[in-house]
Every structure is written in C-alpha cells, then in structure tokens.
Amino acid sequence: MINYTQLVVQTDKATIEWLESNGYRNPRHLPNDYTFSVFIVDLLRKEISGTNTTCMAASGSCGNRPIVLNFEQLKEKLSRIVE
C-alpha cells in the first residue's frame, strides 16, 4: 500500500528552508548532521523528517516504490494539493 500522505524529497538545504518558510515544521532540524540523500515530507502533520536505508528498504520490500521529488517537482505537487 502506497502512503499518499508522505512525499520523498531529495535532500537540499534550499528545499528544507523553503518548506520551513511555508509552514512545515522541522522538529529534527534537518539538514544539521543529516547526510542521507532523501527526507520525508508529511503532508498531514506539515513536518519534515529524515529517513534511512533500512526504512527505505523495508518500504520497498512491501511494494512501495516512492518517486523521489526534486525541489521543482515538490513545489508543483504542493501547489496542486493547495488548489
């Protein structure tokens, strides 16, 4: 079962800063000490969080094949959700 309330996004400081400026909480203060290539955007909680290889592998073994969004794709998807 694919989780449609969470997005997988490429790790980029500008993306994280943009999300924070648009009301998304960053309770774990990414990217401080965060080196994994993607992070999670929780649409229901309006917060961002990290993930790791084990979590992504477990998700994949359950049949989830998330699309990793870059900054522009993320902005486009979020604009469609707001409309």
Side-chain angles (χ1 to χ4, degrees), residues 15-73:
T15 304
I16 293 168
E17 290 172 354
W18 183 84
L19 283 164
E20 289 175 323
S21 72
N22 282 279
Y24 284 80
R25 293 182 331 107
N26 183 1
R28 291 162 194 86
H29 305 291
L30 298 179
N32 297 343
D33 299 314
Y34 186 74
T35 59
F36 198 64
S37 60
V38 297
F39 65 95
I40 305 299
V41 176
D42 188 312
L43 300 174
L44 296 178
R45 294 182 180 173
K46 280 198 83 169
E47 69 179 32
I48 61 177
S49 61
T51 188
N52 59 48
T53 304
T54 303
C55 291
M56 295 303 289
S59 177
S61 70
C62 292
N64 295 329
R65 301 283 188 246
I67 296 170
V68 178
L69 304 174
N70 65 31
F71 184 46
E72 294 303 318
Q73 292 167 321

